[in-house]
Short mmCIF file of all heavy atoms in Angstrom, two decimals:
data_model
loop_
_atom_site.label_atom_id
_atom_site.label_comp_id
_atom_site.label_asym_id
_atom_site.label_seq_id
_atom_site.Cartn_x
_atom_site.Cartn_y
_atom_site.Cartn_z
N MET A 464 0.85 -1.19 0.00
CA MET A 464 0.00 0.00 0.00
C MET A 464 0.88 1.24 0.00
O MET A 464 1.86 1.32 0.75
CB MET A 464 -0.91 0.02 1.23
CG MET A 464 -1.97 -1.07 1.24
SD MET A 464 -2.94 -1.08 2.78
CE MET A 464 -3.82 0.47 2.64
N SER A 465 0.55 2.19 -0.83
CA SER A 465 1.32 3.43 -0.85
C SER A 465 1.06 4.20 0.44
O SER A 465 0.04 3.99 1.11
CB SER A 465 0.90 4.29 -2.05
OG SER A 465 -0.43 4.76 -1.88
N PRO A 466 1.95 5.10 0.83
CA PRO A 466 1.71 5.88 2.03
C PRO A 466 0.39 6.63 2.03
O PRO A 466 -0.27 6.76 3.05
CB PRO A 466 2.90 6.84 2.06
CG PRO A 466 3.98 6.11 1.33
CD PRO A 466 3.27 5.36 0.24
N ILE A 467 0.00 7.15 0.86
CA ILE A 467 -1.27 7.87 0.79
C ILE A 467 -2.42 6.94 1.08
O ILE A 467 -3.33 7.26 1.85
CB ILE A 467 -1.43 8.53 -0.60
CG1 ILE A 467 -0.47 9.71 -0.74
CG2 ILE A 467 -2.87 8.97 -0.82
CD1 ILE A 467 -0.57 10.43 -2.06
N ARG A 468 -2.40 5.74 0.48
CA ARG A 468 -3.49 4.79 0.73
C ARG A 468 -3.49 4.32 2.19
O ARG A 468 -4.55 4.15 2.79
CB ARG A 468 -3.32 3.58 -0.21
CG ARG A 468 -4.34 2.47 -0.03
CD ARG A 468 -5.75 2.96 -0.09
NE ARG A 468 -6.08 3.62 -1.35
CZ ARG A 468 -7.23 4.21 -1.59
NH1 ARG A 468 -8.17 4.26 -0.66
NH2 ARG A 468 -7.44 4.80 -2.76
N GLN A 469 -2.32 4.15 2.78
CA GLN A 469 -2.24 3.78 4.20
C GLN A 469 -2.85 4.88 5.07
O GLN A 469 -3.56 4.59 6.04
CB GLN A 469 -0.78 3.55 4.60
CG GLN A 469 -0.16 2.31 3.96
CD GLN A 469 1.29 2.16 4.39
OE1 GLN A 469 1.65 2.37 5.53
NE2 GLN A 469 2.14 1.77 3.45
N THR A 470 -2.56 6.13 4.74
CA THR A 470 -3.09 7.24 5.51
C THR A 470 -4.60 7.35 5.36
O THR A 470 -5.32 7.61 6.33
CB THR A 470 -2.42 8.56 5.08
OG1 THR A 470 -1.02 8.47 5.32
CG2 THR A 470 -2.98 9.74 5.87
N ILE A 471 -5.10 7.15 4.13
CA ILE A 471 -6.53 7.18 3.91
C ILE A 471 -7.21 6.12 4.78
O ILE A 471 -8.21 6.38 5.46
CB ILE A 471 -6.86 6.94 2.42
CG1 ILE A 471 -6.42 8.15 1.58
CG2 ILE A 471 -8.35 6.69 2.23
CD1 ILE A 471 -6.54 7.92 0.09
N ALA A 472 -6.66 4.91 4.77
CA ALA A 472 -7.22 3.82 5.56
C ALA A 472 -7.19 4.15 7.06
O ALA A 472 -8.18 3.96 7.78
CB ALA A 472 -6.46 2.52 5.30
N LYS A 473 -6.08 4.66 7.51
CA LYS A 473 -5.92 4.98 8.94
C LYS A 473 -6.90 6.05 9.38
O LYS A 473 -7.55 5.94 10.42
CB LYS A 473 -4.48 5.44 9.20
CG LYS A 473 -4.21 5.83 10.64
CD LYS A 473 -2.77 6.32 10.80
CE LYS A 473 -2.50 6.78 12.22
NZ LYS A 473 -1.10 7.27 12.38
N ARG A 474 -7.03 7.10 8.57
CA ARG A 474 -7.89 8.23 8.95
C ARG A 474 -9.36 7.86 8.90
O ARG A 474 -10.16 8.32 9.73
CB ARG A 474 -7.59 9.43 8.06
CG ARG A 474 -6.23 10.05 8.33
CD ARG A 474 -5.95 11.18 7.36
NE ARG A 474 -6.81 12.33 7.58
CZ ARG A 474 -6.58 13.28 8.48
NH1 ARG A 474 -5.50 13.21 9.25
NH2 ARG A 474 -7.39 14.31 8.60
N LEU A 475 -9.75 7.02 7.94
CA LEU A 475 -11.16 6.62 7.86
C LEU A 475 -11.55 5.76 9.06
O LEU A 475 -12.62 5.94 9.65
CB LEU A 475 -11.41 5.86 6.56
CG LEU A 475 -11.32 6.69 5.27
CD1 LEU A 475 -11.60 5.81 4.06
CD2 LEU A 475 -12.30 7.85 5.30
N VAL A 476 -10.66 4.84 9.45
CA VAL A 476 -10.94 4.01 10.63
C VAL A 476 -10.93 4.89 11.89
O VAL A 476 -11.75 4.72 12.79
CB VAL A 476 -9.91 2.88 10.74
CG1 VAL A 476 -10.08 2.12 12.05
CG2 VAL A 476 -10.07 1.92 9.57
N GLU A 477 -9.99 5.83 11.95
CA GLU A 477 -9.90 6.74 13.09
C GLU A 477 -11.19 7.53 13.24
O GLU A 477 -11.69 7.71 14.37
CB GLU A 477 -8.72 7.70 12.87
CG GLU A 477 -8.59 8.78 13.92
CD GLU A 477 -7.51 9.78 13.55
OE1 GLU A 477 -6.53 9.39 12.88
OE2 GLU A 477 -7.65 10.96 13.90
N ALA A 478 -11.74 8.00 12.11
CA ALA A 478 -12.99 8.77 12.17
C ALA A 478 -14.12 7.92 12.72
O ALA A 478 -14.95 8.40 13.51
CB ALA A 478 -13.32 9.30 10.78
N GLN A 479 -14.18 6.66 12.29
CA GLN A 479 -15.25 5.78 12.73
C GLN A 479 -15.14 5.46 14.23
O GLN A 479 -16.14 5.30 14.93
CB GLN A 479 -15.22 4.47 11.93
CG GLN A 479 -15.51 4.65 10.45
CD GLN A 479 -16.99 4.76 10.14
OE1 GLN A 479 -17.75 5.29 10.91
NE2 GLN A 479 -17.40 4.25 8.99
N HIS A 480 -13.91 5.35 14.72
CA HIS A 480 -13.69 4.95 16.12
C HIS A 480 -13.76 6.11 17.11
O HIS A 480 -14.17 5.94 18.26
CB HIS A 480 -12.33 4.26 16.25
CG HIS A 480 -12.31 2.88 15.65
ND1 HIS A 480 -11.18 2.10 15.62
CD2 HIS A 480 -13.28 2.16 15.05
CE1 HIS A 480 -11.46 0.94 15.04
NE2 HIS A 480 -12.73 0.97 14.69
N ASN A 481 -13.31 7.30 16.67
CA ASN A 481 -13.13 8.41 17.61
C ASN A 481 -14.20 9.48 17.55
O ASN A 481 -14.19 10.41 18.36
CB ASN A 481 -11.76 9.07 17.37
CG ASN A 481 -10.61 8.12 17.61
OD1 ASN A 481 -10.74 7.15 18.36
ND2 ASN A 481 -9.48 8.36 16.99
N ALA A 482 -15.11 9.38 16.59
CA ALA A 482 -16.16 10.39 16.48
C ALA A 482 -17.53 9.71 16.53
O ALA A 482 -17.67 8.54 16.19
CB ALA A 482 -16.01 11.17 15.17
N ALA A 483 -18.53 10.50 16.97
CA ALA A 483 -19.90 9.99 17.01
C ALA A 483 -20.59 10.44 15.72
O ALA A 483 -21.22 11.50 15.66
CB ALA A 483 -20.64 10.53 18.23
N LEU A 484 -20.44 9.65 14.66
CA LEU A 484 -20.89 10.07 13.33
C LEU A 484 -22.37 9.75 13.11
O LEU A 484 -22.85 8.67 13.46
CB LEU A 484 -20.05 9.38 12.26
CG LEU A 484 -18.54 9.67 12.30
CD1 LEU A 484 -17.85 8.98 11.13
CD2 LEU A 484 -18.28 11.16 12.27
N LEU A 485 -23.04 10.71 12.52
CA LEU A 485 -24.44 10.55 12.18
C LEU A 485 -24.66 11.25 10.84
O LEU A 485 -24.02 12.28 10.56
CB LEU A 485 -25.34 11.18 13.26
CG LEU A 485 -26.84 10.93 13.16
CD1 LEU A 485 -27.15 9.44 13.31
CD2 LEU A 485 -27.58 11.73 14.23
N THR A 486 -25.54 10.72 10.01
CA THR A 486 -25.79 11.29 8.70
C THR A 486 -27.26 11.68 8.57
O THR A 486 -28.14 10.90 8.93
CB THR A 486 -25.42 10.32 7.57
OG1 THR A 486 -24.06 9.92 7.71
CG2 THR A 486 -25.61 10.95 6.21
N THR A 487 -27.50 12.88 8.06
CA THR A 487 -28.86 13.33 7.77
C THR A 487 -28.95 13.63 6.27
O THR A 487 -27.94 13.99 5.64
CB THR A 487 -29.22 14.59 8.58
OG1 THR A 487 -30.60 14.92 8.34
CG2 THR A 487 -28.36 15.78 8.22
N PHE A 488 -30.14 13.44 5.71
CA PHE A 488 -30.31 13.54 4.26
C PHE A 488 -31.36 14.59 3.89
O PHE A 488 -32.25 14.90 4.68
CB PHE A 488 -30.74 12.19 3.68
CG PHE A 488 -29.80 11.05 3.98
CD1 PHE A 488 -30.00 10.22 5.06
CD2 PHE A 488 -28.70 10.83 3.17
CE1 PHE A 488 -29.14 9.18 5.34
CE2 PHE A 488 -27.82 9.79 3.44
CZ PHE A 488 -28.04 8.96 4.53
N ASN A 489 -31.25 15.08 2.68
CA ASN A 489 -32.25 15.96 2.10
C ASN A 489 -32.10 15.86 0.59
O ASN A 489 -31.20 15.15 0.09
CB ASN A 489 -32.08 17.40 2.58
CG ASN A 489 -33.40 18.14 2.67
OD1 ASN A 489 -34.27 17.98 1.81
ND2 ASN A 489 -33.56 18.94 3.73
N GLU A 490 -32.95 16.53 -0.13
CA GLU A 490 -32.84 16.57 -1.58
C GLU A 490 -33.08 17.99 -2.04
O GLU A 490 -33.75 18.78 -1.37
CB GLU A 490 -33.84 15.62 -2.25
CG GLU A 490 -35.29 15.95 -1.97
CD GLU A 490 -36.24 14.99 -2.67
OE1 GLU A 490 -35.77 14.13 -3.42
OE2 GLU A 490 -37.46 15.14 -2.45
N CYS A 491 -32.48 18.34 -3.18
CA CYS A 491 -32.68 19.69 -3.68
C CYS A 491 -32.97 19.66 -5.16
O CYS A 491 -32.50 18.79 -5.91
CB CYS A 491 -31.48 20.58 -3.37
SG CYS A 491 -29.94 20.06 -4.15
#
């Protein structure tokens, strides 16, 4: 894995583990 791909993977997992993520939707 290139360093960029490793960082992408690390940060995405970090976001899922360390933040309380919620998604809201709308349409325009």
Side-chain angles (χ1 to χ4, degrees):
M464 292 175 67
S465 68
I467 288 181
R468 177 53 59 185
Q469 292 179 40
T470 299
I471 291 173
K473 178 182 177 181
R474 290 176 68 84
L475 292 180
V476 173
E477 175 187 329
Q479 295 279 34
H480 287 178
N481 298 335
L484 300 183
L485 189 63
T486 304
T487 185
F488 303 95
N489 212 320
E490 62 179 356
C491 62

